[in-house]
Amino acid sequence: MSFPAPGCAPVAPEIPVIDRAFAAPPVGVLLFNMGGPGTLADVEPFLVNLFSDRDIIELPMGALLQPVVARIIAKARGNGVRRNYASIGGGSPQLRLTRAQAMALNDHLDRQTGRRHIVEVAMRYWQPDTETALQRLASEGVSRLVTLTLYPHYSRATTGSSRREFERVVAQPKWRGRFEVDHVEAYPDHPLYLEAMADNVRRALAGFPAHRRDKVTILFSAHGLPKKFIDEGDPYVEHTHRTVQGILDRLAVPNPHTIAFQSRTGPVTWIGPGTEDVLRDLGRQGVKEVLMVPVSFVSDHIETLYEVDQLFKEDAIRSGIVDYRRSEALNTHPLYIEALAELVSRQLVTT
């Protein structure tokens, strides 16, 4: 330990750069996701929230009566949807997986920048909702905030709906002017996101017998959307095709491939073709091996664990497909977390 020379003023010890950075107010990151019922008892209230959103579906009788009609639909569909969730363990794992993504992103950003971050989750149709997330961010002293969608492909029904809910909440008097905000609304061709997707597909293909591997049909399955949205300018389909092409460019394999759309419900015209229809067509063509790639889902939930792993598998087997597999969802794939961190950092650097 050293002391100042006689007659010299004491010199304050220099604070390491990382300590000064961590002493500054933390940067907030708010992850947008859909949410899902955590228990079977949550199914009906979750469905009410979902069907009350006119960004997804405009139910008859207008906006004022939509919540009433939504409750009727939720009651009618409740038993069937509960059975579906029961088959995947009794509830959606999406919140658990999204929180794992948030923790991984938080750690990555802190290590990468030497500054403290607070990453929170805002589920559109379940808890924690946007209001709860903002309360947590404010309690940590956050004033600089980046919203980051977990839907890589923009649609007004997904990221658009979450963004509008965020704007509604943040416009309340108690939040007005509280946060400086930037938004990440899509990343269909981010290189690290594409490489993470391609990595999962490569590893899934490697599991097929070597002598048949090149014959496996790769079926990219994205979430469906009412055709009306696309006709009105929604970029979702174009974004999805950009992602698929980016994955294929990185794979550079000779396998046949196609794209389809799943989770199509309700009395409206949906974008197509439907995933179940494509599987039946492949069976009629004599295809025996199929690798499903859920291309618009970044974590496992009802669409992957029930629809892809159970319903579509039954369709495939009935159609004569004998080897049906799925590539893993991204979840906390390191390259995906790195992609999210880069998207956040880009906003902070450019603003």
Side-chain angles (χ1 to χ4, degrees):
M1 183 173 182
S2 60
F3 295 90
C8 296
V11 178
E14 184 169 345
I15 301 173
V17 172
I18 190 167
D19 288 349
R20 287 202 300 268
F22 267 75
V27 175
V29 180
L30 185 59
L31 302 182
F32 287 157
N33 212 340
M34 178 178 180
T39 69
L40 297 183
D42 296 333
V43 166
E44 281 188 33
F46 166 76
L47 292 176
V48 170
N49 292 342
L50 181 68
F51 287 112
S52 294
D53 184 6
R54 291 178 72 80
D55 286 323
I56 287 186
I57 185 168
E58 295 182 3
L59 295 175
M61 305 173 68
L64 289 177
L65 289 177
Q66 179 140 339
V68 176
V69 180
R71 283 193 289 272
I72 294 170
I73 295 174
K75 189 72 174 175
R77 296 188 58 184
N79 286 337
V81 176
R82 273 190 291 271
R83 284 194 296 272
N84 298 346
Y85 278 101
S87 75
I88 66 168
S92 173
Q94 191 180 64
L95 178 57
R96 171 177 57 82
L97 293 171
T98 305
R99 280 180 167 156
Q101 291 171 325
M103 290 177 62
L105 175 59
N106 212 141
D107 290 346
H108 188 97
L109 285 168
D110 286 356
R111 285 186 284 102
Q112 181 186 60
T113 66
R115 181 170 182 177
R116 191 162 69 99
H117 296 76
I118 306 294
V119 183
E120 287 291 343
V121 175
M123 295 301 195
R124 179 63 183 89
Y125 304 111
W126 205 237
Q127 296 294 327
D129 60 13
T130 301
E131 176 75 27
T132 301
L134 290 181
Q135 289 172 353
R136 291 174 178 169
L137 290 166
S139 71
E140 293 285 347
V142 168
S143 59
R144 184 75 173 84
L145 176 61
V146 177
T147 74
L148 174 59
T149 183
L150 294 182
Y151 307 100
H153 317 106
Y154 181 87
S155 172
R156 81 183 207 200
T158 53
T159 299
S161 182
S162 288
R163 171 74 181 275
R164 279 184 286 278
E165 175 66 6
F166 173 83
E167 298 295 351
R168 183 191 69 78
V169 172
V170 84
Q172 295 174 22
K174 68 177 177 179
W175 298 124
R176 201 169 295 146
R178 176 67 177 77
F179 300 104
E180 179 188 353
V181 186
D182 285 288
H183 305 277
V184 176
E185 295 196 319
Y187 41 93
D189 46 14
H190 190 285
L192 291 170
Y193 160 64
L194 293 175
E195 187 52 53
M197 289 291 296
D199 180 61
N200 279 357
V201 177
R202 283 191 204 98
R203 289 189 289 111
L205 281 173
F208 285 88
H211 70 286
R212 298 289 300 171
R213 195 169 297 150
D214 290 350
K215 302 293 190 295
V216 175
T217 295
I218 304 173
L219 174 51
F220 296 93
S221 187
H223 202 288
L225 197 68
K227 185 175 181 295
K228 165 186 174 182
F229 291 9
I230 306 305
D231 294 340
E232 293 174 350
D234 197 297
Y236 176 76
V237 171
E238 188 265 333
H239 280 190
T240 302
H241 280 279
R242 278 162 59 184
T243 291
V244 169
Q245 189 57 56
I247 296 169
L248 292 170
D249 290 345
R250 283 159 175 77
L251 291 174
V253 293
N255 299 69
H257 58 270
T258 189
I259 185 170
F261 297 88
Q262 65 182 87
S263 310
R264 307 184 307 163
T265 61
V268 296
T269 302
W270 290 76
I271 55 176
T275 302
E276 63 276 26
D277 298 327
V278 170
L279 284 169
R280 292 171 194 140
D281 287 344
L282 291 174
R284 283 192 288 268
Q285 295 165 22
V287 171
K288 298 302 180 185
E289 298 95 354
V290 168
L291 174 63
M292 294 288 293
V293 180
V295 72
S296 57
F297 310 106
V298 300
S299 61
D300 279 312
H301 51 112
I302 193 75
E303 281 85 357
T304 58
L305 300 174
Y306 173 68
E307 198 168 3
V308 174
D309 289 354
Q310 298 182 45
L311 287 186
F312 293 156
K313 184 175 184 178
E314 292 173 3
D315 287 331
I317 291 171
R318 280 197 298 267
S319 301
I321 295 166
V322 297
D323 197 347
Y324 171 94
R325 309 187 190 193
R326 168 172 75 89
S327 63
E328 294 181 6
L330 290 176
N331 295 320
T332 55
H333 192 296
L335 288 175
Y336 180 56
I337 300 303
E338 189 177 349
L340 296 180
E342 198 278 333
L343 289 163
V344 171
S345 298
R346 185 188 303 170
Q347 289 299 315
L348 297 174
V349 167
T350 58
T351 57

